[in-house]
Amino acid sequence: MEKEELLPQEEETSIITLTDENGENADFEYLDCIPYQGKEYLVLIPAEEESSEIVILEIRPVDEENETYCAVEDEEILAAVYNIFKDRYKDILDFAD
């Protein structure tokens, strides 16, 4: 599989609606799911804003059919997952760090 095939095509963009602890909904564009140290992390970007801020959430299974997404507080995990993401897409995305 070539790297260009990893990102969804423009017309195939996956939008995920998440609800925060206050009951507010927010739409995010799915970029990738990164496995790291036995866990999986979603890499998202806000869908409605002109922001390029990446959001990384840990996927936690609730039961066999449901999962929840939790903010990652550990800066080392955030950095590691973001670096894996950057490495996967280094040939097709520009990163401004």
Side-chain angles (χ1 to χ4, degrees):
M1 175 182 282
E2 293 182 24
K3 287 194 183 262
E4 287 78 16
E5 295 175 10
L6 293 174
L7 280 178
Q9 297 300 316
E10 196 70 37
E11 61 276 345
E12 297 175 13
T13 300
S14 296
I15 300 296
I16 298 172
T17 302
L18 300 178
T19 305
D20 68 15
E21 61 275 356
N22 299 321
E24 299 291 324
N25 289 339
D27 290 335
F28 293 88
E29 182 178 341
Y30 170 87
L31 299 177
D32 203 354
C33 182
I34 308 274
Y36 179 71
Q37 293 186 338
K39 298 180 180 179
E40 290 187 310
Y41 297 88
L42 283 181
V43 181
L44 310 169
I45 192 166
E48 300 298 320
E49 301 172 20
E50 290 298 322
S51 169
S52 60
E53 179 181 333
I54 298 287
V55 175
I56 297 173
L57 300 173
E58 180 184 338
I59 301 172
R60 292 187 185 165
V62 174
D63 55 38
E64 290 183 18
E65 296 180 12
N66 298 297
E67 55 194 20
T68 188
Y69 309 103
C70 301
V72 179
E73 308 261 336
D74 187 318
E75 293 295 324
E76 289 181 19
I77 292 174
L78 284 172
V81 171
Y82 183 63
N83 286 330
I84 293 168
F85 176 75
K86 286 192 328 184
D87 188 55
R88 284 187 179 184
Y89 297 100
K90 66 184 176 205
D91 295 333
I92 52 177
L93 294 175
D94 292 323
F95 295 94
D97 322 305

